[in-house]
Amino acid sequence: MKYRAKVIVNLKDKIKDSKGEAVSAVLKRISLEENANVRIGKIFELEITGKTAEIAKCKLQEIIDEVLVNPIIETSKILEFEPLEITDTKNEAQIK
């Protein structure tokens, strides 16, 4: 079975976020927000396969730990994890 996952990766709070600081400075300069305190992160969207949701989620966690995140400076959070709906194109074509 296939599952769709979204994972957000951010710098840890103690790590300086120079890109976020640059955006905050621009917002202040153009008078949109005085103290935005912007933090920049990355969102990954993946399709994971597994016989069960538990197996797929374990695989996802391994991908996060081994590939997506530098644990020294970054944190992660799984935003979404859901089964992918499989469309039967034969029946869909017949319905139309």
Side-chain angles (χ1 to χ4, degrees):
M1 178 131 194
K2 278 195 162 195
Y3 299 86
R4 176 178 295 124
K6 283 187 184 179
V7 177
I8 187 166
V9 176
N10 287 317
L11 290 172
K12 289 182 176 179
D13 289 338
K14 294 180 181 181
I15 303 297
K16 181 179 177 178
D17 185 350
S18 56
K19 291 179 183 178
E21 289 175 358
V23 172
S24 293
V26 169
L27 293 174
K28 184 175 183 174
R29 188 175 65 240
I30 62 175
S31 300
L32 282 178
E33 182 60 48
E34 285 297 311
N35 296 312
N37 194 23
V38 176
R39 303 284 293 171
I40 304 283
K42 301 174 274 191
I43 294 180
F44 294 91
E45 295 183 13
L46 303 96
E47 290 182 7
I48 307 293
T49 57
K51 290 185 180 189
T52 66
E54 186 176 316
I55 290 170
K57 206 161 194 178
C58 286
K59 187 189 280 190
L60 173 61
Q61 191 60 56
E62 187 174 355
I63 291 168
I64 291 168
D65 295 341
E66 299 294 324
V67 180
L68 302 182
V69 174
N70 177 346
I72 296 170
I73 63 169
E74 295 174 318
T75 62
S76 66
K77 181 177 180 181
I78 298 172
L79 298 176
E80 290 180 21
F81 183 80
E82 60 191 19
L84 270 176
E85 291 184 20
I86 299 172
T87 305
D88 185 348
T89 54
K90 290 180 186 176
N91 288 339
E92 188 177 310
Q94 290 174 355
I95 293 171
K96 290 181 181 179

